């Protein structure tokens, strides 16, 4: 049985200690015309003995739901029969517990209880977004996609919606012809003129297609995902296809083909064999709320990372591929331990990118080791800046700045979401790596940890114990003293910046060990414009910028320009730049051609202009907010508008949100709405 902890974000986990869903079968009928999903979820559950379920009393099994219309619950174990069920009180964050009464003879010979729930999703389903054909690239077919992380799977099917509960599954998903379905699982073919009926069975039905899938690796509910629409695909390698609407397929293929397989090979070298079979990429419509989502076998990505091959956004692909090990193979046991997913993934992502830089250097006669350190340092220092900015914005005492936050009062994990688990988690791992000597010493442990915990869900104490056990038996006496001196409580449980963050001279400070060569040019240019316009009064720079070894900024590669604009926006978080400074910046880094092909650059530039009170940025901002629903862009842009001193910006924020909120994914719509209420 998989390892189970009590997860405060799941009624099922809290009520059913020791119980678990082992296998699932999902039969879903998707009707884009009336934006509905109905079908049946069949779950093979195992329960704690003696008795069934703890808190709810013997004979009851609890599942998570949100806004589901549950019609019928049956026991599939012989003799099959209908079961009594009840829906509990709805919680605004956690949804509604579904309690199912179980007879004493419910178990089959394998010790499983097989329950089939017939249900329909409601229009309030927070996991799903239905797009009208006008909202798609091709504008000729509707589209539907899911996003279940963190706790939205329960609005798609009744489940134990905790990352601590993993199950294998099969799925039959029906759509009207000629639509196709892609799922975060292994495709098993399609049956034409067949559809899932009301009772969940697959029957003949003209004009429908049923796609079959299988996920043989146990996954938590939040990694169940599908998309349906007019989908085409093109191969990048034997194990990677890119899926997209046909109209965007070539562009997506051109962007990812040069890097995807290379990233995967590098990741295997660092983390161990890739075990999921397929590693496909799906480029979604612009309303996809995240940069990427690591859905197994089929990573979901936003089209906003397509940037004309300038290399500034493909780190998202490295990140999602890295999740195949950190997050998907070894998952956090509850959202309080989310850093075990994201901190580890950022760590692996940056190792992958550094490995690629090293390989490139080696193949062009350069120094691979130097290139590795420079790329890793560049990425890490950018992350450190984001961490500093996040802690500054949230406040150094904010409880959600703890690496392991307390969610025991039943909060919405989406509210706790920030860069903290990513960047504080990454920083912590780099520190732990330094404590044992560096990459060479740490990597065998990293691989062993992933191999030992594969298919399990883990919590922070488990990781700490594994780390100490492994290294205490391997390192010499002085190193053991270092291990003993680790202030775990501060790293894991104290709010604010991590220890040693500002102590850049300490030998175990990650900062002291980062190679800042690539970052220096970015920092110098940001501080050049910052200091020349320090009061925001628009004085032109007294002298020209002197480029360093990274060359003239107008010729910089995409990643440096993105880093520069990010850095400048951090410098000028409180004092906006003067309008006169904006054109100087634009010409210095040759922004015009970059703006056309790179939405990240567009977003960063619009934010700087809005803060400077540049009214001519308003139309561009509205256009971006109308087309793109990625939270990384829409939340800060709405926040910048609503908190602006310019009345026109504030008014436009409210009217625009009313206009566009129905076109965003429910998660994005919810979060922007909360942001606007807070201001
Ligand atoms: Zn991630």
């Amino acid at each position: 049985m998989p390892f189970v902890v009590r997860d405060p974000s799941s009624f099922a986990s809290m009520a059913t200690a020791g119980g678990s869903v082992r296998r699932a079968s999902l039969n879903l009928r998707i009707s884009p015309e009336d934006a509905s999903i109905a079908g049946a979820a069949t779950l093979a559950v195992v329960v704690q003995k003696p008795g069934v379920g703890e808190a709810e009393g013997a004979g009851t099994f609890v599942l998570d739901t949100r806004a589901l219309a549950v019609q019928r619950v049956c026991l599939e174990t012989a003799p099959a029969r209908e079961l009594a069920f009840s829906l509990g009180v709805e919680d605004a964050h956690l949804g509604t517990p579904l309690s199912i009464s179980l007879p004493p003879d419910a178990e089959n010979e394998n010790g499983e209880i097989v329950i089939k729930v017939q249900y329909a999703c409601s229009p309030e389903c927070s996991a799903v977004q239905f797009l009208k054909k006008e909202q798609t690239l091709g504008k000729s077919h509707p589209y539907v996609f899911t996003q279940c992380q963190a706790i939205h799977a329960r609005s798609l099917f009744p489940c134990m919606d905790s990352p601590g509960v993993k199950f294998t599954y099969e799925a039959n998903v029906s759509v009207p012809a000629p639509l196709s379905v892609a799922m975060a699982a292994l495709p098993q073919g399609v049956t034409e003129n067949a559809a899932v009926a009301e009772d969940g069975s697959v029957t003949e039905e003209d004009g429908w297609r049923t796609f079959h899938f299988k996920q043989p690796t146990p996954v938590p509910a939040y990694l169940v995902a599908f998309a349906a629409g007019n989908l085409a695909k093109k191969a990048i390698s034997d194990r990677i296809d890119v899926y997209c609407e046909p109209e965007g397929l070539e562009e997506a293929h051109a962007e990812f083909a040069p890097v995807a397989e290379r990233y995967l090979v590098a990741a295997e070298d660092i983390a161990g064999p890739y075990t999921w079979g397929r590693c496909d990429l799906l480029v979604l419509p612009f309303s996809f709320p995240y940069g990427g989502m690591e859905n197994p076998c089929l990573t979901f990505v936003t089209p906003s990372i397509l940037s004309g091959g300038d290399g500034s956004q493909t780190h998202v692909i490295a990140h999602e591929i890295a999740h195949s090990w950190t997050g998907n193979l070894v998952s956090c046991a509850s959202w309080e331990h989310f850093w075990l997913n994201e901190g580890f993934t950022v760590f692996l992502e940056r190792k992958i990118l550094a490995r690629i830089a090293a390989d490139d250097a080696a193949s062009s006669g350069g120094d691979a080791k130097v290139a590795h350190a420079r790329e890793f340092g560049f990425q890490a220092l950018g992350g450190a800046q984001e961490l500093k900015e996040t802690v500054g914005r949230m406040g150094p005492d904010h409880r959600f700045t703890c690496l392991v936050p307390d969610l025991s009062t039943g909060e919405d994990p989406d509210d706790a979401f920030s860069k903290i688990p990513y960047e504080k988690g990454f920083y912590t791992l780099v520190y732990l790596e330094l404590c044992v000597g560096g990459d060479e010493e740490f990597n065998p442990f990293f691989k062993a940890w992933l191999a030992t915990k594969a298919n399990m869900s883990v919590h922070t104490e488990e990781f700490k114990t594994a780390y100490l056990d492994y290294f205490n038996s391997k390192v010499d006496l002085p190193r053991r003293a270092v291990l003993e001196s680790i202030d775990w409580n501060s790293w894991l449980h104290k709010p604010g910046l991590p220890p040693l963050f500002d102590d850049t001279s300490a030998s175990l400070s990650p900062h002291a060990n980062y190679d800042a060569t690539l970052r220096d040019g970015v920092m110098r240019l940001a501080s050049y414009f910052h200091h020349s316009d320090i009061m925001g009064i628009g004085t032109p720079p007294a002298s020209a910028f002197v480029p360093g070894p990274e060359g003239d900024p107008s010729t910089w590669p995409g990643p440096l320009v993105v880093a520069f604009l990010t850095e400048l926006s951090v410098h000028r978080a409180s004092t906006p730049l003067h309008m006169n400074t904006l054109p100087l910046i634009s010409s210095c880094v040759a922004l015009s051609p970059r703006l056309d092909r790179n939405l990240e650059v567009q977003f960063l530039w619009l934010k700087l202009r809005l803060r400077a009170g540049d009214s001519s940025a308003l139309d561009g901002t509205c256009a971006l907010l109308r087309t793109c629903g990625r939270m990384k862009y829409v939340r800060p842009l709405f926040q910048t508008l609503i908190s602006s001193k310019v009345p026109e910006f504030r008014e436009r924020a409210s009217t625009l949100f009313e206009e566009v909120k129905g076109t965003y994914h429910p998660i994005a719509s919810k979060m922007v709405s909360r942001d606007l209420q807070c201001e």
Side-chain angles (χ1 to χ4, degrees):
M1 190 192 297
F3 183 82
V4 178
V5 294
R6 285 178 180 251
D7 174 357
S9 308
S10 160
F11 287 120
S13 168
M14 292 303 280
T16 318
S20 185
V21 173
R22 200 182 264 178
R23 288 177 290 110
S25 169
L26 296 174
N27 283 10
L28 301 174
R29 179 190 180 97
I30 303 172
S31 308
E33 286 309 310
D34 56 1
S36 72
I37 296 177
T42 305
L43 309 173
V45 307
V46 286
V47 295
Q48 195 187 38
K49 290 175 184 171
V52 180
E54 212 176 51
E56 291 290 315
T60 306
F61 197 80
V62 176
L63 293 169
D64 292 300
T65 74
R66 177 187 286 136
L68 291 184
V70 178
Q71 289 136 4
R72 200 160 175 247
V73 181
C74 296
L75 185 70
E76 296 284 285
T77 320
R81 70 209 96 151
E82 205 156 321
L83 298 176
F85 66 90
S86 64
L87 286 161
V89 179
E90 184 185 347
D91 177 275
H93 294 149
L94 305 182
T96 312
L98 167 65
S99 300
I100 300 168
S101 302
L102 298 176
D105 62 341
E107 277 185 4
N108 65 14
E109 62 281 5
N110 301 323
E112 294 173 342
I113 299 171
V114 183
I115 300 164
K116 179 174 164 187
V117 184
Q118 243 173 270
Y119 71 98
C121 298
S122 79
E124 284 80 49
C125 177
S126 58
V128 176
Q129 186 178 18
F130 282 95
L131 299 175
K132 295 189 172 60
K133 57 187 181 185
E134 298 77 27
Q135 291 173 275
T136 65
L137 212 49
K139 309 206 182 304
S140 52
H141 296 281
Y143 199 104
V144 53
F145 70 90
T146 63
Q147 165 59 41
C148 288
Q149 196 180 35
I151 56 169
H152 302 281
R154 63 192 64 177
S155 73
L156 184 63
F157 64 106
C159 54
M160 289 187 75
D161 194 4
S162 166
V165 177
K166 290 182 158 188
F167 53 90
T168 59
Y169 73 87
E170 294 174 351
N172 300 300
V173 185
S174 306
V175 287
L179 301 187
S180 300
V181 182
M183 194 158 194
L186 300 173
Q188 305 290 305
V190 54
T191 308
E192 301 292 346
N193 295 316
V196 171
E198 203 180 319
D199 66 354
S201 63
V202 180
T203 55
E204 272 185 39
E205 191 168 337
D206 286 348
W208 284 76
R209 319 176 74 191
T210 298
F211 290 77
H212 313 289
F213 301 93
K214 190 162 127 184
Q215 181 49 272
T217 306
V219 292
Y222 80 88
L223 290 177
V224 172
F226 62 78
N230 184 21
L231 301 176
K233 67 175 178 176
K234 187 170 178 181
I236 286 178
S237 72
D238 286 351
R239 50 188 176 171
I240 306 177
D241 287 343
V242 59
Y243 286 74
C244 188
E245 287 182 73
E247 295 78 4
L249 186 62
E250 288 305 324
E251 189 190 353
H253 187 271
E255 185 87 28
F256 303 137
V259 295
E261 180 65 29
R262 288 189 76 194
Y263 287 168
L264 187 51
V265 170
E268 287 189 288
D269 206 25
I270 301 161
Y274 184 77
T275 56
W276 297 86
R278 302 295 311 168
C279 185
D280 298 331
L281 303 168
L282 170 69
V283 181
L284 284 107
F286 272 99
S287 70
F288 185 62
Y290 291 101
M293 178 63 211
E294 64 272 23
N295 295 317
C297 307
L298 182 70
T299 283
F300 284 23
V301 292
T302 162
S304 67
I305 63 168
L306 301 174
S307 50
D310 79 357
S312 69
Q313 302 306 305
T314 48
H315 63 90
V316 174
I317 301 297
H319 181 92
E320 304 311 336
I321 285 177
H323 267 305
S324 307
W325 289 265
T326 49
N328 293 5
L329 202 59
V330 181
S331 312
C332 60
S334 79
W335 299 112
E336 295 172 313
H337 304 279
F338 190 39
W339 82 279
L340 296 174
N341 282 16
E342 295 302 347
F344 275 63
T345 297
V346 173
F347 183 77
L348 180 51
E349 167 201 334
R350 290 180 180 154
K351 298 271 178 192
I352 294 169
L353 296 173
R355 182 72 62 103
I356 297 293
D359 290 349
D360 286 347
S363 61
S364 60
D367 187 325
K369 215 171 162 192
V370 168
H372 190 284
R374 283 187 178 174
E375 180 64 24
F376 192 77
F378 174 70
Q379 300 289 343
L381 286 163
Q385 184 62 272
E386 283 200 75
L387 176 56
K388 197 171 165 185
E389 191 270 332
T390 305
V391 171
R393 187 166 34 78
M394 294 171 76
D397 297 322
H398 196 294
R399 62 202 178 91
F400 289 158
T401 62
C402 296
L403 191 59
V404 185
D406 177 7
L407 300 177
S408 62
T409 47
E411 272 139 311
D412 185 346
D414 285 347
D415 286 338
F417 182 86
S418 75
K419 277 283 165 187
I420 296 293
Y422 294 74
E423 295 299 347
K424 198 171 180 178
F426 168 77
Y427 203 81
T428 302
L429 279 177
V430 173
Y431 168 71
L432 293 175
E433 185 182 70
L434 287 169
C435 284
V436 297
D439 177 68
E440 223 167 280
E441 289 77 10
F442 189 76
N443 184 254
F445 162 71
F446 186 70
K447 267 188 178 151
W449 161 256
L450 295 172
T452 317
K453 301 295 178 182
N455 300 328
M456 295 184 196
S457 300
V458 291
H459 61 91
T460 303
E461 279 301 310
E462 215 174 337
F463 168 70
K464 178 184 150 187
T465 306
Y467 171 85
L468 289 175
D469 284 353
Y470 183 94
F471 286 110
N472 270 324
S473 66
K474 285 212 162 39
V475 296
D476 55 17
L477 220 51
R479 283 262 174 237
R480 214 169 300 162
V482 172
L483 293 182
E484 271 164 30
S485 71
I486 296 173
D487 179 3
W488 290 97
N489 191 46
S490 293
W491 284 93
L492 302 176
H493 302 296
K494 291 253 173 83
L497 290 169
L500 302 180
F501 192 85
D502 292 320
D503 187 2
T504 51
S505 60
S507 63
L508 290 177
S509 154
H511 265 112
N513 289 275
Y514 293 149
D515 183 320
T517 312
L518 285 174
R519 194 81 201 162
D520 275 349
V522 165
M523 300 291 279
R524 281 202 312 116
L525 188 62
S527 96
Y528 169 77
F529 281 112
H530 170 60
H531 286 294
S532 62
D533 184 31
I534 197 157
M535 307 295 284
I537 52 176
T539 322
S543 55
F545 178 73
V546 183
E550 59 290 327
D552 188 311
S554 66
T555 64
W556 278 3
L560 292 194
V561 173
V562 167
F564 157 69
L565 291 173
T566 308
E567 188 66 40
L568 190 59
S569 122
V570 171
H571 273 307
R572 304 311 290 251
S574 47
T575 313
L577 289 161
H578 193 275
M579 295 260 285
N580 292 346
T581 307
L582 297 172
L584 301 176
I585 295 170
S586 172
S587 87
C588 176
V589 292
L591 268 187
S592 293
R594 303 181 194 273
L595 288 167
D596 289 342
R597 61 168 188 245
N598 190 322
L599 211 60
E600 181 90 7
V601 172
Q602 224 181 89
F603 154 71
L604 290 164
W605 186 233
L606 285 169
K607 201 167 66 162
L608 283 167
R609 289 172 65 197
L610 289 175
R611 281 200 200 145
D614 180 359
S615 299
S616 68
L618 199 51
D619 285 348
T621 305
C622 293
L624 194 154
L625 291 171
R626 281 193 184 101
T627 47
C628 184
R630 183 179 176 188
M631 287 195 282
K632 181 182 183 186
Y633 302 154
V634 301
R635 292 184 68 184
L637 286 177
F638 270 114
Q639 279 162 345
T640 307
L641 287 175
I642 201 78
S643 61
S644 171
K645 290 194 174 74
V646 184
E648 188 192 359
F649 288 7
R650 295 197 302 273
E651 285 156 25
R652 193 69 87 86
S654 311
T655 53
L656 187 67
F657 183 59
E658 282 308 308
E659 178 197 324
V660 298
K661 67 181 180 190
T663 68
Y664 289 173
H665 187 278
I667 298 173
S669 183
K670 171 183 79 173
M671 297 316 290
V672 176
S673 166
R674 283 187 194 163
D675 292 343
L676 294 181
Q677 279 160 16
C678 288
E679 290 294 338

